[in-house]
Amino acid sequence: MSQIMDRSKVPVRMTYRAVGSGTGIDEFVGEDNNFAPYNDFGSGDIPMPSLDYANLKDNGIEMLHLPFVLGAISVFHSIPGVGDGELKLTGCTLAKIFKRSIKYWDDEEILELNPGLDKVLPNADYPINVARRVKGSSSTASVTQYLKEACPEEWPDDLVGKLIDWESDTMKCEGSGGMTSCIVDNPGTIGYIDSGHGHSQGLIEIDLENKDGKYLTSKVSAEKGGIGNAAAAIPDRADADFGNVDLLNKPGEWTWPIVAMSYVYVRKDLSHITDDQEKTLLKYFLESLYDPDVISQCEDNFGFVRVPESVKTIAMNGLKTLDVGSGTPWTTETNTMVGTGMGYYVISAKRRTYAELTYSSFADDLNSMEEQAPTTMMSGSTASYQSPEKQAMQIQSALIMGGISIALWSVAIGFFLAKNILGV
């Protein structure tokens, strides 16, 4: 969105509120607003529930599901001295840990899967801390549904959902950042989080057993195409009911067992948007989610995986059915287009703001610093470790916020001088 705003000739303002899948769906459906939407589109990593989809249909409203990225949800730990690839669990063992039937890392069932683990633990009866999301989340929904499918004898139906009744001695963690802190700040903790976030924070991933009996990490699965494999069976039309789409515990040697697909929800009829040019801008934005140059940023920066070509085709066919009125289509200038590149509705990569140029310069400098700086880990608890990626993100964020602060103060001072001294 920020790139579209920066590279548009005409003033464009686009916003997105990160309020969670549930709120996004409620505001998109607008049931308490006579089914008028509160937003122009919604997004979440769960499909529209079948009940909500049916309610829209019953009120004469057709919608599209536009799957655009896949993300793995992984389980991470902070056992001192145990690194990547050194701890593996089955779905049933994980279920027993999460419901507190297994409370120690040297439990016989864990040691059977991990011979010699007891030799590296800080002490006998080393306790397991279970970290879980404090509020309803789609990651909780995915993990609990996976546990139900992988080990129904240990994980009952009433423990499946975005918000469940956890045991009282589990750790309450708010949001992805809170989950990271729970794991890092409390040695011996196990918790779940989207893989890209966990890896960017230097967390240590547990090898999980997939449906084919293979132990692997989400990184290995991604390298082998195993995350995309989970999306093999979805409806063949974007305007269909996706409520039963399930990407969990699917077969395949390299398939990751806990995969979530991120969707955009959009109505076919965009009459709630009064300006036809805004309608075509929305369509341009949605189409850009399938542009390799755009979606690669999600892969490189956040660890997501683009959807397979078959899924992309379903989405692009659905976008053709959007009613955008008579607005002028927006286009992209990547290579210089003499004359036409200056058009009003051209998003040009040649048109860049000073802030974007400064950001790029900062990013290049940080990459150079990262290549030159040695990576070290302090002795003791794993909580002392920060990955180079996390350090770079923190420095980059600080530099950007500093630049924004200076710019805002400059504007404020200029306005004050113009008004009080020059009499403008």
Side-chain angles (χ1 to χ4, degrees), residues 380-395:
S381 169
T382 55
S384 63
Y385 173 69
Q386 283 189 323
S387 69
E389 293 89 344
K390 183 176 181 180
Q391 296 171 21
M393 288 172 62
Q394 291 174 337
I395 296 171

Side-chain angles (χ1 to χ4, degrees), residues 237-258:
R237 291 176 56 93
D239 58 1
D241 180 2
F242 277 61
N244 291 323
V245 171
D246 178 8
L247 307 185
L248 302 171
N249 207 37
K250 296 303 178 184
E253 180 182 6
W254 301 104
T255 302
W256 184 246
I258 316 177

Side-chain angles (χ1 to χ4, degrees), residues 254-274:
W254 301 104
T255 302
W256 184 246
I258 316 177
V259 175
M261 186 151 59
S262 293
Y263 303 85
V264 165
Y265 325 115
V266 63
R267 299 185 179 208
K268 283 188 177 183
D269 179 1
L270 299 177
S271 58
H272 59 281
I273 303 175
T274 56

Side-chain angles (χ1 to χ4, degrees), residues 137-366:
S137 76
S138 54
S139 58
T140 300
S142 295
V143 168
T144 56
Q145 182 62 43
Y146 156 72
L147 293 174
K148 170 62 181 176
E149 295 187 16
C151 194
E153 63 271 24
E154 290 293 340
W155 201 264
D157 287 331
D158 61 359
L159 288 180
V160 175
K162 293 187 292 185
L163 188 63
I164 68 168
D165 292 326
W166 294 88
E167 292 297 321
S168 59
D169 62 346
T170 55
M171 299 171 59
K172 300 177 182 179
C173 316
E174 185 168 350
S176 297
M179 177 64 77
T180 301
S181 297
C182 282
I183 295 172
V184 171
D185 296 342
N186 300 278
T189 296
I190 185 172
Y192 55 90
I193 196 172
D194 67 274
S195 302
H197 186 97
H199 295 146
S200 72
Q201 301 302 303
L203 300 182
I204 301 171
E205 188 176 1
I206 294 173
D207 287 34
L208 289 184
E209 182 186 34
N210 68 10
K211 192 175 182 65
D212 279 24
K214 189 177 188 68
Y215 292 92
L216 73 171
T217 64
S218 61
K219 277 187 177 180
V220 171
S221 176
E223 291 169 359
K224 299 290 187 178
I227 294 177
N229 287 347
I234 68 168
D236 59 4
R237 291 176 56 93
D239 58 1
D241 180 2
F242 277 61
N244 291 323
V245 171
D246 178 8
L247 307 185
L248 302 171
N249 207 37
K250 296 303 178 184
E253 180 182 6
W254 301 104
T255 302
W256 184 246
I258 316 177
V259 175
M261 186 151 59
S262 293
Y263 303 85
V264 165
Y265 325 115
V266 63
R267 299 185 179 208
K268 283 188 177 183
D269 179 1
L270 299 177
S271 58
H272 59 281
I273 303 175
T274 56
D275 187 333
D276 283 353
Q277 213 51 57
E278 291 183 19
K279 297 177 186 177
T280 55
L281 177 60
L282 174 58
K283 184 177 181 182
Y284 173 85
F285 165 69
L286 297 176
E287 289 174 337
S288 73
L289 297 177
Y290 301 93
D291 182 329
D293 292 334
V294 174
I295 208 65
S296 63
Q297 298 176 56
C298 294
E299 294 177 312
D300 297 341
N301 297 328
F302 304 106
F304 290 109
V305 174
R306 70 186 71 185
V307 294
E309 281 296 317
S310 59
V311 177
K312 175 182 175 179
T313 298
I314 293 169
M316 295 301 286
N317 287 340
L319 283 170
K320 294 175 183 177
T321 68
L322 284 184
D323 181 2
V324 295
S326 58
T328 302
W330 295 68
T331 57
T332 302
E333 179 187 38
T334 303
N335 298 316
T336 301
M337 302 186 303
V338 178
T340 56
M342 280 297 294
Y344 280 106
Y345 305 117
V346 177
I347 304 299
S348 175
K350 304 296 181 179
R351 183 183 294 114
R352 306 180 70 187
T353 65
Y354 178 73
E356 188 183 2
L357 287 169
T358 303
Y359 175 89
S360 297
S361 177
F362 284 156
D364 290 342
D365 290 345
L366 286 167

Side-chain angles (χ1 to χ4, degrees), residues 45-190:
D45 47 13
I46 55 175
M48 182 69 59
S50 293
L51 179 60
D52 290 311
Y53 177 87
N55 282 342
L56 289 172
K57 292 278 284 188
D58 291 344
N59 283 271
I61 300 166
E62 290 189 285
M63 64 158 290
L64 303 176
H65 278 91
L66 303 175
F68 63 101
V69 290
L70 296 161
I73 298 171
S74 296
V75 181
F76 296 93
H77 75 88
S78 57
I79 305 173
V82 179
D84 282 322
E86 297 178 0
L87 181 64
K88 59 185 181 182
L89 296 175
T90 66
C92 284
T93 306
L94 183 63
K96 294 175 184 178
I97 290 172
F98 277 173
K99 74 175 188 178
R100 307 302 282 149
S101 297
I102 293 178
K103 293 189 175 185
Y104 301 98
W105 283 115
D106 51 357
D107 185 273
E108 182 178 335
E109 186 168 328
I110 296 177
L111 293 181
E112 192 172 319
L113 296 169
N114 302 273
L117 177 63
D118 54 330
K119 304 296 191 297
V120 299
L121 293 175
N123 51 262
D125 295 332
Y126 190 62
I128 300 174
N129 304 312
V130 172
R132 48 88 170 183
R133 293 287 290 269
V134 66
K135 296 182 179 179
S137 76
S138 54
S139 58
T140 300
S142 295
V143 168
T144 56
Q145 182 62 43
Y146 156 72
L147 293 174
K148 170 62 181 176
E149 295 187 16
C151 194
E153 63 271 24
E154 290 293 340
W155 201 264
D157 287 331
D158 61 359
L159 288 180
V160 175
K162 293 187 292 185
L163 188 63
I164 68 168
D165 292 326
W166 294 88
E167 292 297 321
S168 59
D169 62 346
T170 55
M171 299 171 59
K172 300 177 182 179
C173 316
E174 185 168 350
S176 297
M179 177 64 77
T180 301
S181 297
C182 282
I183 295 172
V184 171
D185 296 342
N186 300 278
T189 296
I190 185 172

